[in-house]
Coordinates of all heavy atoms in Angstrom, one line a residue:
M2 N 14.8 -10.1 -24.0 CA 14.1 -9.3 -23.1 C 14.8 -7.9 -23.0 O 14.2 -6.9 -23.1 CB 13.9 -10.0 -21.8 CG 12.8 -9.4 -21.0 SD 12.4 -10.5 -19.5 CE 13.9 -10.4 -18.6
L3 N 16.1 -8.0 -22.7 CA 16.9 -6.7 -22.5 C 17.0 -6.0 -23.9 O 17.1 -4.8 -23.9 CB 18.2 -7.1 -21.9 CG 18.2 -7.5 -20.4 CD1 19.5 -8.0 -20.0 CD2 17.8 -6.4 -19.5
D4 N 17.1 -6.8 -25.0 CA 17.2 -6.1 -26.2 C 15.9 -5.3 -26.5 O 16.0 -4.2 -27.1 CB 17.4 -7.2 -27.4 CG 18.7 -7.8 -27.4 OD1 19.6 -7.3 -26.8 OD2 18.9 -8.9 -28.0
S5 N 14.8 -5.9 -26.2 CA 13.5 -5.1 -26.4 C 13.5 -3.9 -25.5 O 13.0 -2.8 -26.0 CB 12.3 -6.0 -26.0 OG 12.2 -7.0 -26.9
L6 N 14.0 -3.9 -24.3 CA 14.0 -2.7 -23.4 C 15.0 -1.7 -24.0 O 14.7 -0.5 -24.0 CB 14.4 -3.1 -22.0 CG 14.4 -2.0 -21.0 CD1 13.0 -1.4 -20.9 CD2 14.9 -2.4 -19.6
E7 N 16.1 -2.2 -24.5 CA 17.1 -1.2 -25.1 C 16.4 -0.5 -26.3 O 16.6 0.7 -26.4 CB 18.3 -2.0 -25.6 CG 19.3 -1.0 -26.3 CD 20.6 -1.7 -26.8 OE1 20.9 -2.8 -26.2 OE2 21.1 -1.2 -27.7
Q8 N 15.7 -1.3 -27.1 CA 15.0 -0.7 -28.3 C 14.0 0.3 -27.8 O 13.9 1.4 -28.4 CB 14.4 -1.8 -29.1 CG 13.7 -1.3 -30.3 CD 13.1 -2.5 -31.1 OE1 12.5 -3.4 -30.5 NE2 13.2 -2.5 -32.4
D9 N 13.2 0.1 -26.7 CA 12.3 0.9 -26.2 C 13.0 2.2 -25.7 O 12.5 3.3 -25.9 CB 11.5 0.3 -25.0 CG 10.5 1.1 -24.4 OD1 9.5 1.5 -25.1 OD2 10.6 1.6 -23.2
Y10 N 14.0 2.1 -25.0 CA 14.8 3.2 -24.5 C 15.3 4.1 -25.7 O 15.2 5.3 -25.6 CB 16.1 2.8 -23.7 CG 15.8 2.6 -22.2 CD1 14.7 2.0 -21.7 CD2 16.7 3.1 -21.3 CE1 14.5 1.9 -20.3 CE2 16.6 2.9 -19.9 CZ 15.5 2.3 -19.5 OH 15.3 2.2 -18.1
R11 N 15.8 3.5 -26.7 CA 16.2 4.2 -27.9 C 15.1 4.9 -28.6 O 15.2 6.1 -28.9 CB 16.9 3.3 -28.9 CG 18.3 2.8 -28.4 CD 19.0 1.9 -29.4 NE 20.2 1.3 -29.0 CZ 21.3 1.9 -29.0 NH1 21.5 3.1 -29.6 NH2 22.5 1.3 -28.6
L12 N 13.9 4.3 -28.6 CA 12.8 4.9 -29.2 C 12.3 6.1 -28.5 O 11.9 7.1 -29.1 CB 11.6 3.8 -29.3 CG 10.3 4.3 -29.9 CD1 10.4 4.6 -31.4 CD2 9.2 3.2 -29.7
R13 N 12.4 6.0 -27.2 CA 12.0 7.2 -26.3 C 13.1 8.1 -26.0 O 13.0 9.0 -25.1 CB 11.3 6.6 -25.0 CG 10.1 5.8 -25.3 CD 9.3 5.3 -24.0 NE 10.2 4.4 -23.3 CZ 10.4 4.4 -22.0 NH1 9.9 5.4 -21.3 NH2 11.1 3.5 -21.4
N14 N 14.2 8.0 -26.7 CA 15.4 8.9 -26.5 C 15.9 8.9 -25.0 O 16.3 9.9 -24.5 CB 15.1 10.3 -26.9 CG 14.9 10.4 -28.4 OD1 15.6 9.8 -29.2 ND2 13.9 11.2 -28.9
K15 N 15.9 7.7 -24.4 CA 16.3 7.6 -23.0 C 17.7 6.9 -23.0 O 18.3 6.7 -21.9 CB 15.4 6.8 -22.2 CG 14.1 7.6 -21.9 CD 13.2 6.7 -21.0 CE 13.8 6.5 -19.6 NZ 12.9 5.9 -18.7
W16 N 18.2 6.4 -24.2 CA 19.4 5.7 -24.3 C 20.6 6.7 -24.1 O 20.8 7.6 -24.9 CB 19.5 4.9 -25.5 CG 20.6 3.9 -25.6 CD1 21.8 4.1 -26.3 CD2 20.7 2.7 -24.9 NE1 22.6 3.0 -26.1 CE2 22.0 2.1 -25.2 CE3 19.9 2.0 -24.0 CZ2 22.4 0.9 -24.7 CZ3 20.3 0.8 -23.5 CH2 21.5 0.2 -23.8
D17 N 21.5 6.4 -23.2 CA 22.8 7.2 -23.0 C 23.9 6.3 -22.5 O 23.7 5.1 -22.3 CB 22.5 8.4 -22.1 CG 22.0 8.0 -20.8 OD1 22.2 6.9 -20.3 OD2 21.4 8.9 -20.1
D18 N 25.0 6.9 -22.2 CA 26.2 6.2 -21.8 C 25.9 5.5 -20.4 O 26.4 4.4 -20.2 CB 27.4 7.1 -21.6 CG 27.9 7.6 -22.9 OD1 27.6 7.0 -23.9 OD2 28.6 8.7 -22.9
R19 N 25.1 6.1 -19.5 CA 24.8 5.4 -18.3 C 24.0 4.1 -18.6 O 24.2 3.1 -17.9 CB 24.0 6.4 -17.4 CG 23.6 5.8 -16.1 CD 22.9 6.8 -15.2 NE 22.3 6.2 -14.1 CZ 21.0 6.1 -13.9 NH1 20.1 6.6 -14.8 NH2 20.5 5.5 -12.9
C20 N 23.1 4.2 -19.5 CA 22.3 3.0 -19.9 C 23.2 1.9 -20.5 O 23.0 0.7 -20.1 CB 21.2 3.3 -20.9 SG 19.9 4.3 -20.3
V21 N 24.1 2.3 -21.3 CA 25.1 1.3 -21.8 C 25.7 0.5 -20.7 O 25.8 -0.7 -20.7 CB 26.1 2.0 -22.7 CG1 27.1 1.0 -23.2 CG2 25.4 2.6 -23.9
S22 N 26.2 1.3 -19.7 CA 26.8 0.6 -18.6 C 25.9 -0.3 -17.7 O 26.3 -1.5 -17.5 CB 27.5 1.7 -17.6 OG 28.0 1.1 -16.5
L23 N 24.7 0.2 -17.4 CA 23.8 -0.5 -16.6 C 23.3 -1.8 -17.3 O 23.3 -2.9 -16.8 CB 22.6 0.3 -16.3 CG 22.7 1.3 -15.1 CD1 21.6 2.2 -15.0 CD2 22.9 0.6 -13.8
F24 N 22.9 -1.6 -18.6 CA 22.5 -2.8 -19.4 C 23.6 -3.8 -19.5 O 23.3 -5.0 -19.4 CB 22.0 -2.4 -20.8 CG 20.6 -1.8 -20.8 CD1 20.2 -0.7 -20.1 CD2 19.6 -2.6 -21.5 CE1 18.9 -0.3 -20.2 CE2 18.4 -2.2 -21.6 CZ 17.9 -1.0 -20.9
G25 N 24.9 -3.4 -19.6 CA 26.0 -4.3 -19.8 C 26.1 -5.1 -18.5 O 26.3 -6.4 -18.5
L26 N 25.9 -4.5 -17.3 CA 26.1 -5.2 -16.1 C 24.9 -6.2 -15.9 O 25.1 -7.3 -15.4 CB 26.1 -4.2 -14.9 CG 27.3 -3.3 -14.9 CD1 27.2 -2.1 -13.9 CD2 28.6 -4.1 -14.4
V27 N 23.7 -5.8 -16.2 CA 22.6 -6.7 -16.2 C 22.7 -7.8 -17.1 O 22.5 -9.1 -16.8 CB 21.3 -6.0 -16.3 CG1 20.1 -6.9 -16.3 CG2 21.1 -4.9 -15.2
R28 N 23.2 -7.5 -18.4 CA 23.4 -8.6 -19.3 C 24.5 -9.6 -18.9 O 24.4 -10.8 -19.1 CB 23.8 -8.0 -20.7 CG 22.8 -7.4 -21.5 CD 23.4 -6.9 -22.8 NE 22.6 -5.8 -23.4 CZ 21.5 -6.0 -24.1 NH1 21.0 -7.2 -24.3 NH2 20.8 -4.9 -24.6
K29 N 25.5 -9.1 -18.2 CA 26.6 -10.0 -17.7 C 26.0 -11.0 -16.7 O 26.4 -12.2 -16.7 CB 27.6 -9.1 -17.0 CG 28.8 -9.9 -16.5 CD 29.9 -9.0 -15.8 CE 31.0 -9.8 -15.3 NZ 32.0 -9.0 -14.6
Q30 N 25.0 -10.6 -15.9 CA 24.4 -11.5 -14.9 C 23.4 -12.5 -15.6 O 23.3 -13.7 -15.3 CB 23.8 -10.7 -13.8 CG 23.0 -11.6 -12.8 CD 24.0 -12.6 -12.1 OE1 25.1 -12.3 -11.8 NE2 23.4 -13.8 -11.7
W31 N 22.5 -11.8 -16.4 CA 21.3 -12.6 -16.8 C 21.3 -12.8 -18.4 O 20.3 -13.4 -18.9 CB 20.0 -11.8 -16.5 CG 19.9 -11.6 -15.0 CD1 20.1 -10.4 -14.3 CD2 19.7 -12.5 -13.9 NE1 20.0 -10.6 -13.0 CE2 19.7 -11.9 -12.7 CE3 19.5 -13.9 -13.9 CZ2 19.5 -12.5 -11.5 CZ3 19.2 -14.6 -12.8 CH2 19.2 -13.9 -11.6
G32 N 22.2 -12.3 -19.1 CA 22.1 -12.4 -20.5 C 21.9 -13.7 -21.2 O 21.2 -13.8 -22.2
I33 N 22.5 -14.8 -20.6 CA 22.3 -16.1 -21.2 C 21.1 -16.9 -20.6 O 20.8 -18.0 -21.1 CB 23.6 -17.0 -21.1 CG1 23.9 -17.2 -19.6 CG2 24.7 -16.3 -21.8 CD1 25.0 -18.2 -19.4
W34 N 20.4 -16.3 -19.7 CA 19.2 -17.0 -19.0 C 18.0 -16.7 -19.9 O 17.8 -15.7 -20.5 CB 19.0 -16.4 -17.7 CG 20.0 -16.7 -16.6 CD1 21.3 -16.3 -16.6 CD2 19.8 -17.4 -15.4 NE1 21.9 -16.8 -15.4 CE2 21.0 -17.4 -14.8 CE3 18.7 -18.0 -14.8 CZ2 21.2 -18.1 -13.5 CZ3 18.8 -18.6 -13.7 CH2 20.1 -18.7 -13.0
R35 N 17.1 -17.7 -19.9 CA 15.8 -17.5 -20.4 C 15.0 -16.8 -19.4 O 15.1 -17.1 -18.2 CB 15.1 -18.8 -20.8 CG 15.8 -19.5 -22.0 CD 15.2 -20.9 -22.3 NE 13.8 -20.9 -22.2 CZ 13.1 -20.9 -23.3 NH1 13.6 -20.9 -24.5 NH2 11.7 -20.9 -23.3
A36 N 14.2 -15.9 -19.8 CA 13.4 -15.1 -18.8 C 12.6 -15.9 -17.9 O 12.5 -15.7 -16.7 CB 12.5 -14.1 -19.5
C37 N 12.0 -17.0 -18.4 CA 11.2 -17.8 -17.6 C 12.0 -18.6 -16.5 O 11.3 -19.2 -15.6 CB 10.3 -18.8 -18.5 SG 11.3 -19.9 -19.5
Q38 N 13.3 -18.6 -16.6 CA 14.1 -19.3 -15.7 C 14.5 -18.5 -14.5 O 15.0 -19.0 -13.5 CB 15.4 -19.8 -16.3 CG 15.2 -20.9 -17.4 CD 16.5 -21.2 -18.1 OE1 17.3 -20.3 -18.5 NE2 16.8 -22.5 -18.3
I39 N 14.3 -17.2 -14.6 CA 14.7 -16.2 -13.5 C 13.6 -16.2 -12.4 O 12.5 -15.8 -12.7 CB 15.0 -14.8 -14.1 CG1 16.1 -15.0 -15.2 CG2 15.4 -13.8 -13.0 CD1 16.3 -13.7 -15.9
T40 N 14.0 -16.5 -11.3 CA 13.1 -16.6 -10.2 C 13.3 -15.4 -9.2 O 14.4 -14.9 -9.1 CB 13.1 -17.9 -9.4 OG1 14.4 -18.0 -8.7 CG2 12.9 -19.1 -10.3
T41 N 12.4 -15.2 -8.3 CA 12.5 -14.3 -7.2 C 13.7 -14.6 -6.3 O 14.5 -13.7 -6.0 CB 11.2 -14.2 -6.3 OG1 10.2 -13.8 -7.2 CG2 11.4 -13.3 -5.2
D42 N 13.9 -15.9 -6.0 CA 15.0 -16.3 -5.2 C 16.4 -16.0 -5.9 O 17.3 -15.6 -5.2 CB 14.9 -17.8 -4.9 CG 13.8 -18.1 -3.8 OD1 13.4 -17.2 -3.1 OD2 13.4 -19.2 -3.7
Q43 N 16.4 -16.2 -7.2 CA 17.7 -16.0 -7.8 C 18.0 -14.5 -7.9 O 19.2 -14.1 -7.8 CB 17.6 -16.5 -9.3 CG 17.6 -18.1 -9.3 CD 17.1 -18.7 -10.6 OE1 16.3 -18.1 -11.3 NE2 17.7 -19.8 -10.9
V44 N 17.0 -13.7 -8.1 CA 17.2 -12.2 -8.0 C 17.7 -11.8 -6.6 O 18.7 -11.0 -6.5 CB 16.0 -11.4 -8.4 CG1 16.2 -9.9 -8.3 CG2 15.6 -11.8 -9.9
R45 N 17.1 -12.4 -5.6 CA 17.5 -12.0 -4.2 C 19.0 -12.5 -4.0 O 19.7 -11.7 -3.4 CB 16.6 -12.8 -3.2 CG 15.3 -12.1 -3.0 CD 14.5 -12.7 -1.8 NE 13.2 -12.2 -1.8 CZ 12.1 -13.0 -1.7 NH1 12.2 -14.3 -1.6 NH2 10.9 -12.5 -1.8
E46 N 19.3 -13.6 -4.5 CA 20.8 -14.1 -4.4 C 21.7 -13.1 -5.0 O 22.8 -12.8 -4.5 CB 20.9 -15.5 -5.0 CG 20.3 -16.5 -4.1 CD 20.4 -17.9 -4.8 OE1 21.3 -18.2 -5.6 OE2 19.5 -18.8 -4.5
W47 N 21.3 -12.6 -6.3 CA 22.0 -11.6 -7.0 C 22.2 -10.3 -6.1 O 23.3 -9.8 -6.0 CB 21.4 -11.3 -8.3 CG 22.1 -10.3 -9.2 CD1 23.4 -10.3 -9.5 CD2 21.5 -9.3 -9.9 NE1 23.7 -9.3 -10.4 CE2 22.5 -8.6 -10.7 CE3 20.2 -8.9 -10.1 CZ2 22.2 -7.6 -11.5 CZ3 19.9 -7.8 -11.0 CH2 20.9 -7.2 -11.7
Q48 N 21.1 -9.9 -5.5 CA 21.2 -8.7 -4.7 C 22.1 -8.9 -3.5 O 22.9 -8.0 -3.2 CB 19.7 -8.3 -4.2 CG 18.8 -7.8 -5.3 CD 17.4 -7.6 -4.8 OE1 16.9 -8.5 -4.2 NE2 16.9 -6.5 -5.2
L49 N 22.0 -10.0 -2.8 CA 22.9 -10.3 -1.7 C 24.4 -10.4 -2.1 O 25.2 -9.9 -1.4 CB 22.5 -11.7 -1.0 CG 21.2 -11.7 -0.2 CD1 20.7 -13.1 0.1 CD2 21.4 -10.8 1.1
T50 N 24.6 -11.0 -3.3 CA 26.0 -11.0 -3.8 C 26.5 -9.6 -4.0 O 27.7 -9.3 -3.6 CB 26.0 -11.8 -5.1 OG1 25.6 -13.2 -4.8 CG2 27.4 -11.8 -5.7
M51 N 25.7 -8.8 -4.6 CA 26.1 -7.4 -4.8 C 26.4 -6.7 -3.5 O 27.4 -5.9 -3.4 CB 25.1 -6.7 -5.7 CG 25.1 -7.1 -7.2 SD 24.1 -6.1 -8.3 CE 22.4 -6.7 -7.8
Q52 N 25.5 -6.9 -2.5 CA 25.8 -6.3 -1.2 C 27.1 -6.8 -0.6 O 27.9 -6.0 0.0 CB 24.6 -6.6 -0.2 CG 23.4 -5.8 -0.5 CD 22.3 -6.2 0.5 OE1 22.2 -7.3 1.0 NE2 21.4 -5.2 0.8
T53 N 27.3 -8.1 -0.7 CA 28.6 -8.7 -0.2 C 29.8 -8.1 -0.9 O 30.9 -7.9 -0.3 CB 28.6 -10.2 -0.5 OG1 27.5 -10.7 0.2 CG2 29.9 -10.9 0.0
E54 N 29.6 -7.7 -2.2 CA 30.7 -7.1 -3.0 C 30.9 -5.6 -2.6 O 31.8 -4.9 -3.1 CB 30.4 -7.2 -4.5 CG 30.5 -8.6 -5.0 CD 30.0 -8.8 -6.4 OE1 29.4 -7.8 -7.0 OE2 30.1 -9.9 -7.0
G55 N 30.1 -5.1 -1.7 CA 30.2 -3.7 -1.2 C 29.4 -2.7 -2.0 O 29.6 -1.5 -1.7
L56 N 28.5 -3.1 -2.9 CA 27.7 -2.1 -3.7 C 26.6 -1.5 -2.8 O 26.1 -2.2 -1.9 CB 27.1 -2.8 -4.9 CG 28.0 -3.3 -5.9 CD1 27.3 -4.0 -7.0 CD2 28.9 -2.2 -6.5
T57 N 26.3 -0.3 -2.9 CA 25.2 0.4 -2.2 C 23.9 -0.2 -2.6 O 23.7 -0.6 -3.7 CB 25.2 1.9 -2.3 OG1 25.0 2.3 -3.6 CG2 26.7 2.4 -1.8
N58 N 22.9 0.0 -1.7 CA 21.5 -0.4 -2.1 C 21.0 0.4 -3.3 O 20.3 -0.1 -4.1 CB 20.6 -0.2 -0.9 CG 20.8 -1.3 0.1 OD1 21.4 -2.4 -0.1 ND2 20.2 -1.2 1.3
A59 N 21.4 1.7 -3.4 CA 21.0 2.5 -4.5 C 21.6 2.0 -5.8 O 20.8 1.9 -6.8 CB 21.5 4.0 -4.3
T60 N 22.8 1.5 -5.8 CA 23.4 1.0 -7.0 C 22.7 -0.3 -7.4 O 22.4 -0.6 -8.6 CB 24.9 0.8 -6.8 OG1 25.5 2.0 -6.6 CG2 25.6 0.1 -8.0
I61 N 22.5 -1.2 -6.4 CA 21.8 -2.5 -6.6 C 20.4 -2.1 -7.2 O 20.0 -2.8 -8.2 CB 21.7 -3.2 -5.3 CG1 23.1 -3.6 -4.9 CG2 20.9 -4.5 -5.5 CD1 23.2 -4.2 -3.5
N62 N 19.7 -1.3 -6.6 CA 18.4 -0.9 -7.1 C 18.4 -0.4 -8.6 O 17.5 -0.8 -9.4 CB 17.7 0.2 -6.2 CG 17.2 -0.3 -4.9 OD1 17.0 -1.5 -4.7 ND2 17.1 0.6 -3.9
R63 N 19.4 0.3 -9.0 CA 19.4 0.8 -10.4 C 19.6 -0.5 -11.3 O 18.9 -0.5 -12.4 CB 20.6 1.8 -10.6 CG 20.2 3.2 -10.1 CD 21.3 4.2 -10.5 NE 22.6 4.0 -9.9 CZ 22.9 4.5 -8.7 NH1 22.0 5.1 -8.0 NH2 24.1 4.3 -8.2
R64 N 20.3 -1.4 -11.0 CA 20.6 -2.5 -11.8 C 19.2 -3.4 -11.8 O 18.9 -3.9 -12.9 CB 21.7 -3.4 -11.3 CG 23.1 -2.7 -11.4 CD 24.2 -3.5 -10.8 NE 25.4 -2.7 -10.9 CZ 26.6 -3.1 -10.6 NH1 26.7 -4.4 -10.2 NH2 27.7 -2.4 -10.7
C65 N 18.7 -3.5 -10.7 CA 17.4 -4.3 -10.6 C 16.3 -3.7 -11.3 O 15.4 -4.3 -11.8 CB 17.0 -4.6 -9.1 SG 18.2 -5.7 -8.3
Q66 N 16.3 -2.3 -11.3 CA 15.3 -1.6 -12.0 C 15.3 -1.9 -13.5 O 14.3 -2.1 -14.1 CB 15.4 -0.1 -11.9 CG 14.4 0.8 -12.6 CD 14.8 2.2 -12.5 OE1 15.8 2.7 -12.1 NE2 13.8 3.0 -12.9
I67 N 16.5 -2.1 -14.1 CA 16.6 -2.5 -15.5 C 16.0 -3.9 -15.8 O 15.2 -4.0 -16.7 CB 18.1 -2.5 -16.0 CG1 18.6 -1.0 -15.9 CG2 18.2 -3.0 -17.4 CD1 18.0 0.0 -16.7
L68 N 16.3 -4.8 -14.9 CA 15.7 -6.1 -15.0 C 14.2 -6.1 -14.8 O 13.5 -6.7 -15.6 CB 16.3 -7.1 -13.9 CG 15.9 -8.5 -14.0 CD1 16.3 -9.1 -15.4 CD2 16.5 -9.3 -12.8
A69 N 13.7 -5.3 -13.9 CA 12.2 -5.3 -13.6 C 11.5 -4.6 -14.8 O 10.5 -5.1 -15.3 CB 12.0 -4.5 -12.3
Q70 N 12.1 -3.5 -15.4 CA 11.5 -2.9 -16.5 C 11.5 -3.8 -17.7 O 10.5 -3.8 -18.5 CB 12.3 -1.6 -16.9 CG 12.1 -0.5 -15.9 CD 12.9 0.7 -16.3 OE1 13.9 0.6 -17.1 NE2 12.6 1.8 -15.7
A71 N 12.5 -4.6 -17.9 CA 12.5 -5.6 -19.0 C 11.4 -6.6 -18.8 O 10.7 -6.9 -19.8 CB 13.9 -6.3 -19.0
F72 N 11.2 -7.1 -17.6 CA 10.1 -8.0 -17.4 C 8.7 -7.3 -17.7 O 7.8 -7.9 -18.3 CB 10.1 -8.5 -16.0 CG 11.0 -9.8 -15.8 CD1 12.2 -9.8 -15.2 CD2 10.5 -11.0 -16.3 CE1 13.0 -10.9 -15.1 CE2 11.2 -12.2 -16.1 CZ 12.5 -12.1 -15.5
K73 N 8.5 -6.1 -17.1 CA 7.3 -5.4 -17.4 C 7.0 -5.2 -18.9 O 5.8 -5.4 -19.3 CB 7.3 -4.1 -16.6 CG 7.2 -4.2 -15.2 CD 7.3 -2.8 -14.5 CE 7.4 -3.0 -12.9 NZ 7.6 -1.8 -12.3
L74 N 8.0 -4.9 -19.6 CA 7.8 -4.6 -21.0 C 7.5 -6.0 -21.7 O 6.6 -6.0 -22.6 CB 9.1 -4.1 -21.7 CG 9.1 -3.7 -23.2 CD1 8.0 -2.7 -23.5 CD2 10.4 -3.3 -23.6
A75 N 8.1 -7.1 -21.3 CA 7.9 -8.3 -21.9 C 6.4 -8.8 -21.6 O 5.7 -9.3 -22.4 CB 8.8 -9.4 -21.4
I76 N 5.9 -8.5 -20.4 CA 4.5 -8.8 -20.1 C 3.5 -7.9 -20.9 O 2.6 -8.4 -21.5 CB 4.2 -8.6 -18.5 CG1 5.0 -9.7 -17.8 CG2 2.8 -8.6 -18.2 CD1 5.1 -9.6 -16.3
R77 N 3.9 -6.6 -20.9 CA 3.1 -5.7 -21.7 C 2.9 -6.1 -23.2 O 2.0 -6.0 -23.9 CB 3.6 -4.2 -21.6 CG 2.7 -3.2 -22.2 CD 3.2 -1.8 -22.0 NE 4.3 -1.5 -22.9 CZ 5.3 -0.8 -22.5 NH1 5.4 -0.2 -21.4 NH2 6.3 -0.6 -23.4
N78 N 4.1 -6.6 -23.7 CA 4.2 -7.1 -25.2 C 3.7 -8.6 -25.3 O 3.8 -9.1 -26.4 CB 5.5 -7.0 -25.7 CG 6.0 -5.5 -25.8 OD1 5.1 -4.6 -26.0 ND2 7.3 -5.2 -25.8
K79 N 3.2 -9.1 -24.2 CA 2.6 -10.5 -24.2 C 3.6 -11.5 -24.6 O 3.3 -12.6 -25.2 CB 1.3 -10.5 -25.1 CG 0.2 -9.6 -24.7 CD -1.1 -9.8 -25.4 CE -2.1 -8.8 -25.0 NZ -2.4 -8.6 -23.7
R80 N 4.8 -11.3 -24.2 CA 5.9 -12.3 -24.4 C 6.1 -13.2 -23.1 O 6.6 -14.3 -23.2 CB 7.2 -11.7 -24.7 CG 7.2 -11.0 -26.1 CD 8.6 -10.4 -26.5 NE 8.5 -9.7 -27.7 CZ 8.7 -10.2 -28.9 NH1 9.0 -11.5 -29.0 NH2 8.7 -9.5 -30.0
L81 N 5.6 -12.6 -22.0 CA 5.6 -13.4 -20.7 C 4.2 -13.1 -20.0 O 3.6 -12.1 -20.3 CB 6.7 -12.8 -19.8 CG 8.1 -13.2 -20.2 CD1 9.0 -12.4 -19.2 CD2 8.4 -14.6 -20.2
T82 N 3.9 -14.0 -19.1 CA 2.7 -13.8 -18.4 C 3.0 -13.4 -16.9 O 2.0 -12.9 -16.2 CB 1.8 -15.1 -18.4 OG1 2.6 -16.1 -17.8 CG2 1.3 -15.4 -19.8
E83 N 4.2 -13.6 -16.5 CA 4.5 -13.2 -15.1 C 6.0 -12.9 -14.9 O 6.8 -13.2 -15.9 CB 4.1 -14.3 -14.1 CG 4.9 -15.6 -14.4 CD 4.4 -16.8 -13.5 OE1 3.4 -16.6 -12.7 OE2 5.1 -17.8 -13.5
A84 N 6.3 -12.3 -13.8 CA 7.7 -11.9 -13.6 C 8.0 -12.2 -12.1 O 7.1 -12.2 -11.3 CB 7.8 -10.4 -13.8
P85 N 9.3 -12.3 -11.9 CA 9.7 -12.5 -10.4 C 9.5 -11.2 -9.7 O 9.5 -10.1 -10.2 CB 11.1 -12.9 -10.5 CG 11.7 -12.3 -11.8 CD 10.5 -12.3 -12.7
F86 N 9.3 -11.4 -8.4 CA 9.2 -10.2 -7.5 C 10.6 -9.7 -7.3 O 11.4 -10.4 -6.9 CB 8.5 -10.5 -6.2 CG 8.4 -9.3 -5.2 CD1 7.5 -8.3 -5.5 CD2 9.3 -9.1 -4.3 CE1 7.4 -7.2 -4.7 CE2 9.2 -8.1 -3.4 CZ 8.3 -7.1 -3.6
I87 N 10.8 -8.4 -7.5 CA 12.2 -7.9 -7.3 C 12.1 -6.8 -6.2 O 11.5 -5.7 -6.4 CB 12.7 -7.2 -8.6 CG1 12.8 -8.3 -9.7 CG2 14.0 -6.6 -8.4 CD1 13.2 -7.8 -11.1
T88 N 12.7 -7.1 -5.1 CA 12.7 -6.4 -3.9 C 13.4 -5.0 -4.1 O 14.5 -5.1 -4.6 CB 13.3 -7.1 -2.7 OG1 12.6 -8.3 -2.5 CG2 13.3 -6.3 -1.4
H89 N 12.8 -3.9 -3.7 CA 13.5 -2.6 -3.7 C 14.2 -2.5 -2.4 O 13.5 -2.5 -1.3 CB 12.4 -1.5 -4.0 CG 13.0 -0.1 -4.0 ND1 13.7 0.4 -5.1 CD2 13.1 0.8 -3.0 CE1 14.1 1.6 -4.8 NE2 13.8 1.9 -3.5
L90 N 15.5 -2.3 -2.4 CA 16.2 -2.2 -1.1 C 16.2 -0.7 -0.7 O 16.2 0.2 -1.5 CB 17.6 -2.6 -1.4 CG 17.8 -4.0 -2.0 CD1 19.3 -4.3 -2.3 CD2 17.2 -5.1 -1.1
V91 N 16.1 -0.5 0.6 CA 16.1 0.8 1.2 C 17.2 1.0 2.2 O 17.7 0.0 2.8 CB 14.7 1.1 1.8 CG1 13.6 1.2 0.8 CG2 14.4 0.1 2.9
G92 N 17.5 2.2 2.5 CA 18.5 2.6 3.5 C 19.8 1.9 3.4 O 20.1 1.1 2.5
G93 N 20.6 2.2 4.3 CA 21.9 1.6 4.5 C 22.7 1.4 3.2 O 22.4 1.9 2.2
G94 N 23.8 0.7 3.3 CA 24.6 0.5 2.1 C 24.9 -0.8 1.9 O 24.6 -1.7 1.5

């Protein structure tokens, strides 16, 4: 799923050093998981873990955005029929 999103980014000339870093962090967390195994609760746990590690909500949102875009692309390409709900965090750190 992340490979497809990377390919899409490259096709649209959106791939840069920032993407390499973000995708690497998302792959570290979810890379070995099958997309159908990732649930809303697991994503929330990941978000809480990142908050506990001191990451700001903006940083967490950027990582989650990559995961959400990967799911949306998979649905658009008819590889999945549904995706977990990924909460957008606001305010605070």
Side-chain angles (χ1 to χ4, degrees):
M2 196 170 64
L3 290 169
D4 290 341
S5 293
L6 183 60
E7 178 181 335
Q8 185 180 39
D9 181 68
Y10 269 44
R11 289 181 185 276
L12 179 67
R13 295 184 295 130
N14 292 319
K15 290 182 67 174
W16 190 255
D17 58 19
D18 291 341
R19 182 173 166 252
C20 290
V21 172
S22 176
L23 280 172
F24 274 65
L26 292 165
V27 176
R28 284 182 205 278
K29 183 177 177 182
Q30 175 65 32
W31 303 107
I33 62 170
W34 290 64
R35 292 174 48 99
C37 62
Q38 295 174 313
I39 301 172
T40 66
T41 298
D42 287 342
Q43 290 163 328
V44 174
R45 283 189 191 131
E46 287 177 26
W47 181 45
Q48 290 173 315
L49 287 169
T50 298
M51 289 188 285
Q52 283 181 330
T53 301
E54 292 170 352
L56 298 176
T57 66
N58 286 347
T60 298
I61 295 167
N62 286 338
R63 280 191 293 278
R64 293 178 186 185
C65 290
Q66 179 186 11
I67 297 299
L68 185 62
Q70 287 177 344
F72 272 106
K73 287 177 187 175
L74 183 62
I76 290 169
R77 189 174 73 213
N78 292 337
K79 300 191 185 306
R80 294 183 184 269
L81 291 174
T82 57
E83 61 183 10
F86 179 77
I87 299 175
T88 302
H89 179 81
L90 306 177
V91 295

